[in-house]
């Protein structure tokens, strides 16, 4: 995906999240995020959007978060924060330097990609609260799988975390990844024999990695324990 596609996805997903949140009472539970209400979800995503906006504009990570809408309408507060973020993340400037938490990508494009995925997954959460979840865009979801396996696991995998060295293949229409977790290292080993294969739509596989759908949405062949260890490792680095 190119920067403009990520910008378009961010705008679309941010709008859809707000629409869904408007349809639910603030105290309604979010089934994909146990313990969280719609109001909690809106506050969380709005806070992340504001944090990233300040991170970029100030040139360093802020020490504190604006974490609640106060007396403002929560969805209106969220919309204002999303609009500010979208205004800062100009796809024309995607290659411009920007502070990030990624050791190998210090550009504005990092945040375009990251915020598109962050908002898309939480859009699913908001829609789950109203019982009408649309799948992720297939192209965005393919990139989302790649982001989880390369960025999240690549940056945050702690030593010996669910690391058996055994390979899992994730397969979606037109694309597959084979990974094995070692101590603090993610081994991308395309074409290698796998101990398990997980297949499904790109949306289902991406949402499974993020813990939004269960194994029943996928086809799993081989060692289920290896599959669950990969999912546990992802949960550990994305929590």
């Amino acid at each position: 995906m190119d920067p403009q596609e990520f910008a378009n996805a961010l705008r679309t997903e941010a709008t859809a999240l707000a629409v869904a949140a408007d349809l639910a009472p603030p105290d309604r539970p979010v089934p994909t995020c146990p313990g969280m209400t719609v109001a909690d979800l809106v506050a969380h995503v709005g806070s992340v959007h504001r944090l990233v906006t300040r991170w970029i504009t100030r040139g360093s990570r802020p020490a504190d978060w604006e974490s609640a809408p106060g007396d403002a309408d929560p969805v209106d507060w969220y919309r204002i924060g999303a609009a500010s973020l979208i205004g800062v993340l100009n796809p024309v400037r995607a290659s411009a330097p920007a502070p990030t938490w990624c050791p190998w990508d210090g550009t504005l494009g990092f945040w375009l990609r990251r915020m598109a995925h962050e908002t898309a997954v939480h859009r699913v959460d908001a829609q789950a609260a109203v019982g009408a979840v649309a799948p992720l865009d297939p192209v965005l979801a393919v990139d989302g799988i790649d982001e989880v396996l390369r960025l999240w696991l690549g940056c945050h995998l702690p030593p010996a975390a669910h690391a058996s060295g055994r390979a899992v293949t994730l397969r979606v229409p037109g694309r597959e990844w084979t990974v094995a977790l070692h101590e603090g290292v993610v081994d991308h080993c395309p074409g290698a024999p796998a101990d398990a294969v997980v297949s499904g739509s790109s949306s289902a596989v991406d949402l499974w990695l993020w813990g939004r759908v269960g194994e029943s949405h996928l086809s799993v062949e081989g060692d289920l324990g290896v599959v669950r260890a990969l999912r546990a490792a992802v949960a550990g680095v994305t929590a």
Side-chain angles (χ1 to χ4, degrees):
M1 293 180 67
D2 64 31
Q4 186 60 58
E5 290 172 316
F6 283 125
N8 292 344
L10 173 57
R11 188 180 299 275
T12 297
E13 297 291 352
T15 299
L17 191 160
V19 169
D22 254 340
L23 294 174
D27 60 351
R28 179 172 292 175
V30 178
T32 48
C33 298
M36 183 175 278
T37 65
V38 170
D40 295 333
L41 176 68
V42 169
H44 169 71
V45 185
S47 297
V48 170
H49 286 174
R50 284 167 167 78
L51 174 72
V52 172
T53 300
R54 292 172 63 202
W55 198 333
I56 294 166
T57 56
R58 294 187 179 191
S60 62
R61 181 170 186 157
D64 60 327
W65 291 39
E66 183 184 347
S67 58
D71 295 331
D73 176 83
V75 179
D76 287 345
W77 178 84
Y78 160 81
R79 285 191 173 103
I80 291 168
S84 296
L85 177 68
I86 289 166
V88 166
L89 293 177
N90 182 349
V92 174
R93 299 183 59 249
S95 61
T100 74
W101 51 258
C102 177
W104 60 81
D105 189 354
T107 68
L108 201 66
F110 168 87
W111 287 119
L112 263 171
R113 184 192 196 199
R114 179 80 284 283
M115 288 298 97
H117 291 303
E118 179 81 9
T119 308
V121 170
H122 287 311
R123 180 269 296 169
V124 168
D125 295 331
Q127 290 182 338
V130 296
V133 177
L136 299 173
D137 174 83
V139 176
L140 183 66
V142 166
D143 188 79
I145 297 165
D146 199 72
E147 190 208 38
V148 168
L149 298 178
R150 296 184 185 278
L151 176 66
W152 286 96
L153 288 178
C155 280
H156 300 304
L157 185 67
H162 311 283
S164 68
R166 302 174 70 195
V168 179
T169 293
L170 304 181
R171 184 175 293 152
V172 303
R175 183 79 184 269
E176 72 175 37
W177 302 255
T178 300
V179 296
L181 304 184
H182 302 273
E183 287 195 16
V185 176
V186 184
D187 181 15
H188 291 266
C189 41
D195 296 283
V197 178
V198 174
S199 56
S201 69
S202 57
S203 176
V205 173
D206 193 17
L207 292 175
W208 170 74
L209 286 170
W210 281 100
R212 266 50 182 193
V213 302
E215 293 161 3
S216 62
H217 290 74
L218 307 167
S219 172
V220 179
E221 304 171 44
D223 190 330
L224 188 58
V226 179
V227 171
R228 290 177 177 172
L230 174 62
R231 167 68 195 115
V234 172
V237 301
T238 58

